[in-house]
Amino acid sequence: MKFASDAALALMLLLGFTGVWKLQKRIDAQQQAVEVEDDQVLLRSPKLVKAMSLEYAPMVADIYWTRAVQYFGNKHRLHQMDLRLLWPLLDVTSTLDPNLLPVYHFGSTFLSDAPPRGMGRPDLAVQLIERGLRANPEDWRLYYDLGYVYYFDKKDYAKASAAFYEGSKNPNAYYWMKVMAAKIAAEGDSPETSMFLWQDVYNTTKDELVRQNALTHLQLLKAKQDCKQIDALANEYEKRFGRRPARVSELVQSGLLKGAPVDALGYAYTLSGDGKAELSVDSPLLEKQVLVEPKK
């Protein structure tokens, strides 16, 4: 008798849990539908925006920004990365209150990060940040955001370097903005720009460690330019004699060089096995080159 009672109780519990599970699934589906409906209503209610704008525009902007964050968070929670309404939300928010800085700092990240973390639209992120800069030119952090998007998401090193450098001109900006500008210019194969920026860092910094770091980069950039010139002369030597030179001294003997060129520390350059100019193995700059220059 007790066994039958226990079995009946277990069956009731099982049915109860099943019912609760089905009810929860229905609630979740309804909540999701309501969230989507709210997105549509919020974005497509001109009367609401018009009625609450005017002197209430900043308050309405706060509402839209809160909704944008909720929208982004809910999409992640539900593993639904169709973020087509994200830009309209940010667009309306920044239009209602151009001085609401979190919209630019965080909204640009929402837009630029690749799926599934974000929308994968760095072009819209740039558009949003540039709008923020027009309204808030004194906020140097917006230049950091812009440089970040150009560097990591668009791979446009020239524009990334320019953004960091422009932001570094603000007296309140952190000093590493200028260092980032110089570093990225070198990565983007803009040695002249990088040298100019590192020279600026060297001339203006009061931090001795930063100064020494800038000097190292300047020395390595000079070595890179020297090697490029030597390689050009080695190409000319090959045209004349039908082979690559094995040593720099052959360039001197041929009259293409007046003397053996040396790096910033006084060590003569050498030629590798394939006839390419490089730092001497005895030069302290060689170790710094391995530590400093990015691998391509």
Side-chain angles (χ1 to χ4, degrees), residues 170-184:
N170 187 310
N172 297 318
Y174 291 151
Y175 203 82
W176 50 258
M177 289 283 288
K178 190 177 292 185
V179 173
M180 285 293 294
K183 178 179 180 296
I184 292 171

mmCIF file with all atom_site columns, all heavy atoms in Angstrom, residues 170-184:
data_model
loop_
_atom_site.group_PDB
_atom_site.id
_atom_site.type_symbol
_atom_site.label_atom_id
_atom_site.label_alt_id
_atom_site.label_comp_id
_atom_site.label_asym_id
_atom_site.label_entity_id
_atom_site.label_seq_id
_atom_site.pdbx_PDB_ins_code
_atom_site.Cartn_x
_atom_site.Cartn_y
_atom_site.Cartn_z
_atom_site.occupancy
_atom_site.B_iso_or_equiv
_atom_site.pdbx_formal_charge
_atom_site.auth_seq_id
_atom_site.auth_comp_id
_atom_site.auth_asym_id
_atom_site.auth_atom_id
_atom_site.pdbx_PDB_model_num
ATOM 1   N N   . ASN A 1 170 ? 45.745 66.857 -26.162 1.00 0.00 ? 170 ASN A N   1
ATOM 2   C CA  . ASN A 1 170 ? 44.973 67.374 -25.038 1.00 0.00 ? 170 ASN A CA  1
ATOM 3   C C   . ASN A 1 170 ? 45.856 67.367 -23.788 1.00 0.00 ? 170 ASN A C   1
ATOM 4   O O   . ASN A 1 170 ? 46.449 66.346 -23.451 1.00 0.00 ? 170 ASN A O   1
ATOM 5   C CB  . ASN A 1 170 ? 43.735 66.500 -24.819 1.00 0.00 ? 170 ASN A CB  1
ATOM 6   C CG  . ASN A 1 170 ? 42.787 67.074 -23.780 1.00 0.00 ? 170 ASN A CG  1
ATOM 7   O OD1 . ASN A 1 170 ? 43.177 67.432 -22.681 1.00 0.00 ? 170 ASN A OD1 1
ATOM 8   N ND2 . ASN A 1 170 ? 41.511 67.144 -24.126 1.00 0.00 ? 170 ASN A ND2 1
ATOM 9   N N   . PRO A 1 171 ? 45.976 68.493 -23.088 1.00 0.00 ? 171 PRO A N   1
ATOM 10  C CA  . PRO A 1 171 ? 46.855 68.544 -21.912 1.00 0.00 ? 171 PRO A CA  1
ATOM 11  C C   . PRO A 1 171 ? 46.463 67.574 -20.805 1.00 0.00 ? 171 PRO A C   1
ATOM 12  O O   . PRO A 1 171 ? 47.297 67.246 -19.945 1.00 0.00 ? 171 PRO A O   1
ATOM 13  C CB  . PRO A 1 171 ? 46.740 70.003 -21.440 1.00 0.00 ? 171 PRO A CB  1
ATOM 14  C CG  . PRO A 1 171 ? 45.473 70.516 -22.050 1.00 0.00 ? 171 PRO A CG  1
ATOM 15  C CD  . PRO A 1 171 ? 45.316 69.779 -23.347 1.00 0.00 ? 171 PRO A CD  1
ATOM 16  N N   . ASN A 1 172 ? 45.233 67.109 -20.814 1.00 0.00 ? 172 ASN A N   1
ATOM 17  C CA  . ASN A 1 172 ? 44.781 66.163 -19.790 1.00 0.00 ? 172 ASN A CA  1
ATOM 18  C C   . ASN A 1 172 ? 44.961 64.703 -20.206 1.00 0.00 ? 172 ASN A C   1
ATOM 19  O O   . ASN A 1 172 ? 44.701 63.792 -19.415 1.00 0.00 ? 172 ASN A O   1
ATOM 20  C CB  . ASN A 1 172 ? 43.310 66.408 -19.466 1.00 0.00 ? 172 ASN A CB  1
ATOM 21  C CG  . ASN A 1 172 ? 43.072 67.784 -18.868 1.00 0.00 ? 172 ASN A CG  1
ATOM 22  O OD1 . ASN A 1 172 ? 43.844 68.248 -18.026 1.00 0.00 ? 172 ASN A OD1 1
ATOM 23  N ND2 . ASN A 1 172 ? 42.008 68.461 -19.297 1.00 0.00 ? 172 ASN A ND2 1
ATOM 24  N N   . ALA A 1 173 ? 45.396 64.474 -21.441 1.00 0.00 ? 173 ALA A N   1
ATOM 25  C CA  . ALA A 1 173 ? 45.521 63.099 -21.947 1.00 0.00 ? 173 ALA A CA  1
ATOM 26  C C   . ALA A 1 173 ? 46.689 62.394 -21.277 1.00 0.00 ? 173 ALA A C   1
ATOM 27  O O   . ALA A 1 173 ? 47.697 63.010 -20.909 1.00 0.00 ? 173 ALA A O   1
ATOM 28  C CB  . ALA A 1 173 ? 45.712 63.120 -23.456 1.00 0.00 ? 173 ALA A CB  1
ATOM 29  N N   . TYR A 1 174 ? 46.558 61.080 -21.129 1.00 0.00 ? 174 TYR A N   1
ATOM 30  C CA  . TYR A 1 174 ? 47.659 60.279 -20.608 1.00 0.00 ? 174 TYR A CA  1
ATOM 31  C C   . TYR A 1 174 ? 48.795 60.256 -21.632 1.00 0.00 ? 174 TYR A C   1
ATOM 32  O O   . TYR A 1 174 ? 48.552 60.257 -22.841 1.00 0.00 ? 174 TYR A O   1
ATOM 33  C CB  . TYR A 1 174 ? 47.201 58.848 -20.312 1.00 0.00 ? 174 TYR A CB  1
ATOM 34  C CG  . TYR A 1 174 ? 46.249 58.746 -19.145 1.00 0.00 ? 174 TYR A CG  1
ATOM 35  C CD1 . TYR A 1 174 ? 45.300 57.737 -19.099 1.00 0.00 ? 174 TYR A CD1 1
ATOM 36  C CD2 . TYR A 1 174 ? 46.302 59.651 -18.084 1.00 0.00 ? 174 TYR A CD2 1
ATOM 37  C CE1 . TYR A 1 174 ? 44.415 57.627 -18.019 1.00 0.00 ? 174 TYR A CE1 1
ATOM 38  C CE2 . TYR A 1 174 ? 45.429 59.546 -17.013 1.00 0.00 ? 174 TYR A CE2 1
ATOM 39  C CZ  . TYR A 1 174 ? 44.489 58.548 -16.981 1.00 0.00 ? 174 TYR A CZ  1
ATOM 40  O OH  . TYR A 1 174 ? 43.627 58.444 -15.926 1.00 0.00 ? 174 TYR A OH  1
ATOM 41  N N   . TYR A 1 175 ? 50.031 60.181 -21.118 1.00 0.00 ? 175 TYR A N   1
ATOM 42  C CA  . TYR A 1 175 ? 51.175 60.302 -22.011 1.00 0.00 ? 175 TYR A CA  1
ATOM 43  C C   . TYR A 1 175 ? 51.290 59.134 -22.985 1.00 0.00 ? 175 TYR A C   1
ATOM 44  O O   . TYR A 1 175 ? 51.822 59.281 -24.086 1.00 0.00 ? 175 TYR A O   1
ATOM 45  C CB  . TYR A 1 175 ? 52.470 60.431 -21.193 1.00 0.00 ? 175 TYR A CB  1
ATOM 46  C CG  . TYR A 1 175 ? 53.549 61.102 -21.978 1.00 0.00 ? 175 TYR A CG  1
ATOM 47  C CD1 . TYR A 1 175 ? 53.594 62.483 -22.082 1.00 0.00 ? 175 TYR A CD1 1
ATOM 48  C CD2 . TYR A 1 175 ? 54.508 60.364 -22.669 1.00 0.00 ? 175 TYR A CD2 1
ATOM 49  C CE1 . TYR A 1 175 ? 54.568 63.118 -22.827 1.00 0.00 ? 175 TYR A CE1 1
ATOM 50  C CE2 . TYR A 1 175 ? 55.479 60.988 -23.419 1.00 0.00 ? 175 TYR A CE2 1
ATOM 51  C CZ  . TYR A 1 175 ? 55.504 62.366 -23.491 1.00 0.00 ? 175 TYR A CZ  1
ATOM 52  O OH  . TYR A 1 175 ? 56.451 62.994 -24.245 1.00 0.00 ? 175 TYR A OH  1
ATOM 53  N N   . TRP A 1 176 ? 50.782 57.976 -22.587 1.00 0.00 ? 176 TRP A N   1
ATOM 54  C CA  . TRP A 1 176 ? 50.922 56.808 -23.457 1.00 0.00 ? 176 TRP A CA  1
ATOM 55  C C   . TRP A 1 176 ? 50.129 56.936 -24.751 1.00 0.00 ? 176 TRP A C   1
ATOM 56  O O   . TRP A 1 176 ? 50.338 56.157 -25.684 1.00 0.00 ? 176 TRP A O   1
ATOM 57  C CB  . TRP A 1 176 ? 50.525 55.516 -22.731 1.00 0.00 ? 176 TRP A CB  1
ATOM 58  C CG  . TRP A 1 176 ? 49.219 55.522 -22.024 1.00 0.00 ? 176 TRP A CG  1
ATOM 59  C CD1 . TRP A 1 176 ? 48.994 55.652 -20.694 1.00 0.00 ? 176 TRP A CD1 1
ATOM 60  C CD2 . TRP A 1 176 ? 47.908 55.382 -22.614 1.00 0.00 ? 176 TRP A CD2 1
ATOM 61  N NE1 . TRP A 1 176 ? 47.647 55.602 -20.417 1.00 0.00 ? 176 TRP A NE1 1
ATOM 62  C CE2 . TRP A 1 176 ? 46.968 55.434 -21.572 1.00 0.00 ? 176 TRP A CE2 1
ATOM 63  C CE3 . TRP A 1 176 ? 47.462 55.214 -23.928 1.00 0.00 ? 176 TRP A CE3 1
ATOM 64  C CZ2 . TRP A 1 176 ? 45.590 55.328 -21.791 1.00 0.00 ? 176 TRP A CZ2 1
ATOM 65  C CZ3 . TRP A 1 176 ? 46.091 55.106 -24.158 1.00 0.00 ? 176 TRP A CZ3 1
ATOM 66  C CH2 . TRP A 1 176 ? 45.188 55.169 -23.097 1.00 0.00 ? 176 TRP A CH2 1
ATOM 67  N N   . MET A 1 177 ? 49.253 57.937 -24.841 1.00 0.00 ? 177 MET A N   1
ATOM 68  C CA  . MET A 1 177 ? 48.552 58.156 -26.113 1.00 0.00 ? 177 MET A CA  1
ATOM 69  C C   . MET A 1 177 ? 49.562 58.479 -27.216 1.00 0.00 ? 177 MET A C   1
ATOM 70  O O   . MET A 1 177 ? 49.458 57.996 -28.346 1.00 0.00 ? 177 MET A O   1
ATOM 71  C CB  . MET A 1 177 ? 47.551 59.295 -25.965 1.00 0.00 ? 177 MET A CB  1
ATOM 72  C CG  . MET A 1 177 ? 46.337 58.976 -25.120 1.00 0.00 ? 177 MET A CG  1
ATOM 73  S SD  . MET A 1 177 ? 45.110 57.966 -26.000 1.00 0.00 ? 177 MET A SD  1
ATOM 74  C CE  . MET A 1 177 ? 44.442 59.169 -27.158 1.00 0.00 ? 177 MET A CE  1
ATOM 75  N N   . LYS A 1 178 ? 50.551 59.310 -26.887 1.00 0.00 ? 178 LYS A N   1
ATOM 76  C CA  . LYS A 1 178 ? 51.573 59.685 -27.864 1.00 0.00 ? 178 LYS A CA  1
ATOM 77  C C   . LYS A 1 178 ? 52.461 58.483 -28.189 1.00 0.00 ? 178 LYS A C   1
ATOM 78  O O   . LYS A 1 178 ? 52.864 58.292 -29.342 1.00 0.00 ? 178 LYS A O   1
ATOM 79  C CB  . LYS A 1 178 ? 52.405 60.838 -27.314 1.00 0.00 ? 178 LYS A CB  1
ATOM 80  C CG  . LYS A 1 178 ? 53.344 61.467 -28.319 1.00 0.00 ? 178 LYS A CG  1
ATOM 81  C CD  . LYS A 1 178 ? 54.096 62.653 -27.713 1.00 0.00 ? 178 LYS A CD  1
ATOM 82  C CE  . LYS A 1 178 ? 53.173 63.802 -27.427 1.00 0.00 ? 178 LYS A CE  1
ATOM 83  N NZ  . LYS A 1 178 ? 53.912 65.007 -26.955 1.00 0.00 ? 178 LYS A NZ  1
ATOM 84  N N   . VAL A 1 179 ? 52.749 57.675 -27.177 1.00 0.00 ? 179 VAL A N   1
ATOM 85  C CA  . VAL A 1 179 ? 53.559 56.471 -27.389 1.00 0.00 ? 179 VAL A CA  1
ATOM 86  C C   . VAL A 1 179 ? 52.821 55.488 -28.296 1.00 0.00 ? 179 VAL A C   1
ATOM 87  O O   . VAL A 1 179 ? 53.417 54.888 -29.201 1.00 0.00 ? 179 VAL A O   1
ATOM 88  C CB  . VAL A 1 179 ? 53.894 55.807 -26.036 1.00 0.00 ? 179 VAL A CB  1
ATOM 89  C CG1 . VAL A 1 179 ? 54.593 54.464 -26.242 1.00 0.00 ? 179 VAL A CG1 1
ATOM 90  C CG2 . VAL A 1 179 ? 54.769 56.732 -25.191 1.00 0.00 ? 179 VAL A CG2 1
ATOM 91  N N   . MET A 1 180 ? 51.521 55.326 -28.069 1.00 0.00 ? 180 MET A N   1
ATOM 92  C CA  . MET A 1 180 ? 50.724 54.445 -28.925 1.00 0.00 ? 180 MET A CA  1
ATOM 93  C C   . MET A 1 180 ? 50.727 54.930 -30.371 1.00 0.00 ? 180 MET A C   1
ATOM 94  O O   . MET A 1 180 ? 50.820 54.131 -31.309 1.00 0.00 ? 180 MET A O   1
ATOM 95  C CB  . MET A 1 180 ? 49.283 54.381 -28.411 1.00 0.00 ? 180 MET A CB  1
ATOM 96  C CG  . MET A 1 180 ? 49.096 53.535 -27.167 1.00 0.00 ? 180 MET A CG  1
ATOM 97  S SD  . MET A 1 180 ? 49.388 51.774 -27.478 1.00 0.00 ? 180 MET A SD  1
ATOM 98  C CE  . MET A 1 180 ? 48.030 51.396 -28.582 1.00 0.00 ? 180 MET A CE  1
ATOM 99  N N   . ALA A 1 181 ? 50.639 56.245 -30.552 1.00 0.00 ? 181 ALA A N   1
ATOM 100 C CA  . ALA A 1 181 ? 50.645 56.801 -31.905 1.00 0.00 ? 181 ALA A CA  1
ATOM 101 C C   . ALA A 1 181 ? 51.934 56.444 -32.627 1.00 0.00 ? 181 ALA A C   1
ATOM 102 O O   . ALA A 1 181 ? 51.920 56.031 -33.794 1.00 0.00 ? 181 ALA A O   1
ATOM 103 C CB  . ALA A 1 181 ? 50.465 58.314 -31.842 1.00 0.00 ? 181 ALA A CB  1
ATOM 104 N N   . ALA A 1 182 ? 53.066 56.588 -31.938 1.00 0.00 ? 182 ALA A N   1
ATOM 105 C CA  . ALA A 1 182 ? 54.363 56.284 -32.546 1.00 0.00 ? 182 ALA A CA  1
ATOM 106 C C   . ALA A 1 182 ? 54.510 54.799 -32.833 1.00 0.00 ? 182 ALA A C   1
ATOM 107 O O   . ALA A 1 182 ? 55.000 54.397 -33.892 1.00 0.00 ? 182 ALA A O   1
ATOM 108 C CB  . ALA A 1 182 ? 55.487 56.761 -31.622 1.00 0.00 ? 182 ALA A CB  1
ATOM 109 N N   . LYS A 1 183 ? 54.092 53.967 -31.897 1.00 0.00 ? 183 LYS A N   1
ATOM 110 C CA  . LYS A 1 183 ? 54.222 52.514 -32.042 1.00 0.00 ? 183 LYS A CA  1
ATOM 111 C C   . LYS A 1 183 ? 53.383 52.004 -33.221 1.00 0.00 ? 183 LYS A C   1
ATOM 112 O O   . LYS A 1 183 ? 53.847 51.202 -34.030 1.00 0.00 ? 183 LYS A O   1
ATOM 113 C CB  . LYS A 1 183 ? 53.780 51.828 -30.757 1.00 0.00 ? 183 LYS A CB  1
ATOM 114 C CG  . LYS A 1 183 ? 53.816 50.310 -30.790 1.00 0.00 ? 183 LYS A CG  1
ATOM 115 C CD  . LYS A 1 183 ? 53.376 49.741 -29.456 1.00 0.00 ? 183 LYS A CD  1
ATOM 116 C CE  . LYS A 1 183 ? 53.402 48.210 -29.481 1.00 0.00 ? 183 LYS A CE  1
ATOM 117 N NZ  . LYS A 1 183 ? 52.449 47.648 -30.448 1.00 0.00 ? 183 LYS A NZ  1
ATOM 118 N N   . ILE A 1 184 ? 52.150 52.489 -33.327 1.00 0.00 ? 184 ILE A N   1
ATOM 119 C CA  . ILE A 1 184 ? 51.254 52.018 -34.384 1.00 0.00 ? 184 ILE A CA  1
ATOM 120 C C   . ILE A 1 184 ? 51.719 52.498 -35.745 1.00 0.00 ? 184 ILE A C   1
ATOM 121 O O   . ILE A 1 184 ? 51.588 51.788 -36.746 1.00 0.00 ? 184 ILE A O   1
ATOM 122 C CB  . ILE A 1 184 ? 49.811 52.467 -34.092 1.00 0.00 ? 184 ILE A CB  1
ATOM 123 C CG1 . ILE A 1 184 ? 49.278 51.740 -32.849 1.00 0.00 ? 184 ILE A CG1 1
ATOM 124 C CG2 . ILE A 1 184 ? 48.898 52.183 -35.284 1.00 0.00 ? 184 ILE A CG2 1
ATOM 125 C CD1 . ILE A 1 184 ? 47.947 52.270 -32.355 1.00 0.00 ? 184 ILE A CD1 1
#
